Amino acid sequence: MGSVFQLWAGYGSAFAQALVLTWKLTAISFAAGFSLGVVVAVARLFPLRPLRFVLTAYVEIFRNIPSVALLIFIVYALPDLDALIDYEPSVLLTLTLVCSAFTADYLRAGINTVDGGQVEAGLSLGMRPMAIISVVVLPQALRAVVQPMTSLLIALMLSTSLASQVPFPGRELTALVAKIANDSAAGMSAFAVAAAMYVASGLLIAWAGATLEKKVRILR
Amino acid sequence: MNRSLDNLLFGDPTPNAQAITRATNWAVAALLLALAIGIAFRFHAAGQFDAGLWEFFAWTTTWTFLAKGLLGTLASAAMAAVIALVFGLVLLVGRMSRLRLARWPSVVAIELLRGVPTLLLIYVCFLVLPSVGIKLSTYWMLTLPVGLSTAAMVAEVYRAGVLAVPRGQTAAARSLGLTEAQVFFHVVFPQALRYIVPALVAQLVIVVKDTTFGYVVTYGELMQNAKVLIANYNALVPVYLVVAVLYCLVNHAISRASQRLGRSMH
């Protein structure tokens, strides 16, 4: 325990910065990934076969490819195609693409929970398909997927550890632990502090998700 | 027959709407084709399609090396899956035990292993454990953290399955004189397995994805072997694309198997 306090005295501000950076990466990539995922899920409803084919391929690819392989491709292989992206945007792009694929997949399941009768009712009222999607289908689908989206947000928060694989400006939690373990013998204490921060962040997200779910749950 | 939502939304179009859909289909297809040609041109302009590349992929050593990497990935993933299934069961038994001394350590272990990135656990095995005198081979430095991390997820999947078994089953088994362990292993757990097999198979995809971190500890899995190939032959983009395709194929096959299993069990 004493070594943890000693570590905190030496690296306290570094841990605080690392936690903030972890949260920042999580928040930005979730916001972008979620928005993109909603667009993909809605676009998959359109009766355009080539578009559906491409979007299905998009979801399957980014759901199945390991995030670290994607990050390494973006950071180290894309410059060979004259597409140079900085390290931070590369990490954010990787997390966004993965998050959007999972969001689109979960939303598809959420959309399927909406009863077809509601669409027929909307059509009989003279509503256009896009109005039905945005006013009737999507709000219900979003309320149905709060729980899986919470799990996805936690998984995304843990995936920010990928940033330790590239020379990132500033260190998130995993990179900081690797640095401390390399520089000193305080690796185990550093792990304990980082683990506590990750677990606390995860529990906070789970609590927020559960509260939101209780509020928006649709009782059928 | 129930119609899908998209069919309800956009189905039964008028002849005019059908013509518009056909035209849009062609326009989207043309756009996508142009995009594909554009990407291919970019590859060509960046010198990725030069003669050396075809030579590189014509070599047996290239494919042998990638196949060895894939085998390394599967060997690590298989062992990690075994660790996850067995240790997950241990965590489940502890988590559901009435003894606080067994329950609390299990709850803490599950929360810790679920709440910490696998990569951080790999760093602990790779950087921290040697400093306290524990030295693992590169295989175990990768497989152990991946297995333990998945075990916590598996324990929760098991738990969901066990809670789904009707309570009457336990009461009936107890009234027949079975011990608590007998009730769990002969009555509850076999039934719970039926509910959770698809979710367990889905966990396999996560295990395969997590083994990608093998290159961190220089264990010879697909990503590490790809890095060695790239370092030796300087064919970055094509090798990573082949690796991506291989990962997608393996994980897609597991996902499909999981879906099929789920459907057959219903």
Side-chain angles (χ1 to χ4, degrees), chain B:
Chain B
M1 197 183 87
N2 284 336
R3 290 168 70 197
S4 60
L5 277 190
D6 49 347
N7 203 303
L8 282 168
L9 280 162
F10 302 101
D12 299 335
T14 58
N16 196 18
Q18 273 180 346
I20 293 172
T21 303
R22 259 198 305 275
T24 322
N25 264 336
W26 280 109
V28 172
L31 199 74
L32 294 172
L33 192 66
L35 193 70
I37 291 170
I39 292 172
F41 185 74
R42 193 80 186 239
F43 270 61
H44 180 69
Q48 296 290 335
F49 284 154
D50 61 2
L53 173 72
W54 305 118
E55 219 173 82
F56 171 71
F57 278 114
W59 286 335
T60 330
T61 45
T62 306
W63 294 105
T64 316
F65 215 63
L66 287 174
K68 269 187 190 167
L70 188 60
L71 269 180
T73 292
L74 295 177
S76 175
M79 181 52 83
V82 171
I83 293 172
L85 290 176
V86 176
F87 190 57
L89 190 58
V90 174
L91 288 175
L92 169 77
V93 172
R95 175 84 173 75
M96 301 203 85
S97 167
R98 282 191 201 138
L99 294 171
R100 275 190 198 167
L101 212 62
R103 195 167 66 239
W104 283 107
S106 299
V107 170
V108 171
I110 289 172
E111 289 302 332
L112 187 70
L113 292 172
R114 271 173 76 204
V116 170
T118 313
L119 187 54
L120 188 60
L121 294 177
I122 291 173
Y123 273 128
V124 169
C125 289
F126 181 48
L127 297 171
V128 183
L129 289 188
S131 67
V132 291
I134 303 170
K135 281 190 181 158
L136 301 171
S137 65
T138 54
Y139 174 76
W140 288 108
M141 274 185 210
L142 172 68
T143 308
L144 200 63
V146 171
L148 292 179
S149 179
T150 316
M153 308 282 190
V154 166
E156 288 299 286
V157 172
Y158 281 151
R159 192 164 152 255
V162 167
L163 293 177
V165 176
R167 281 193 165 192
Q169 301 266 351
T170 317
R174 292 284 293 160
S175 69
L176 287 171
L178 268 66
T179 64
E180 205 142 319
Q182 282 173 325
V183 172
F184 184 77
F185 285 105
H186 294 298
V187 179
V188 178
F189 196 64
Q191 290 190 71
L193 267 184
R194 266 192 61 208
Y195 298 117
I196 58 176
V197 163
L200 286 180
V201 180
Q203 283 293 326
L204 255 183
V205 174
I206 297 173
V207 170
V208 173
K209 281 200 220 174
D210 280 351
T211 56
T212 322
F213 292 123
Y215 77 90
V216 173
V217 295
T218 65
Y219 166 69
E221 46 71 64
L222 196 50
M223 204 65 183
Q224 165 68 10
N225 281 14
K227 279 191 104 174
V228 175
L229 271 178
I230 289 162
N232 289 343
Y233 301 105
N234 195 26
L236 210 97
V237 178
V239 172
Y240 277 138
L241 282 180
V242 172
V243 166
V245 169
L246 287 174
Y247 273 120
C248 278
L249 285 178
V250 171
N251 289 336
H252 184 71
I254 297 171
S255 297
R256 288 298 291 268
S258 161
Q259 281 168 3
R260 267 195 191 176
L261 211 60
R263 253 181 261 139
S264 69
M265 282 181 150
H266 280 288

Side-chain angles (χ1 to χ4, degrees), chain A residues 15-26:
Chain A
F15 269 108
Q17 279 171 8
L19 183 65
V20 170
L21 183 57
T22 299
W23 285 350
K24 184 185 131 189
L25 291 173
T26 309

Side-chain angles (χ1 to χ4, degrees), chain A residues 157-172:
Chain A
M157 188 266 296
L158 298 179
S159 297
T160 56
S161 63
L162 286 180
S164 66
Q165 298 305 295
V166 289
F168 198 74
R171 286 195 169 83
E172 49 63 61

Side-chain angles (χ1 to χ4, degrees), chain A residues 52-72:
Chain A
R52 275 190 183 177
F53 174 76
V54 169
L55 292 178
T56 305
Y58 172 89
V59 171
E60 285 299 318
I61 288 170
F62 292 117
R63 268 184 65 213
N64 288 318
I65 197 167
S67 311
V68 70
L70 183 61
L71 176 66
I72 286 176

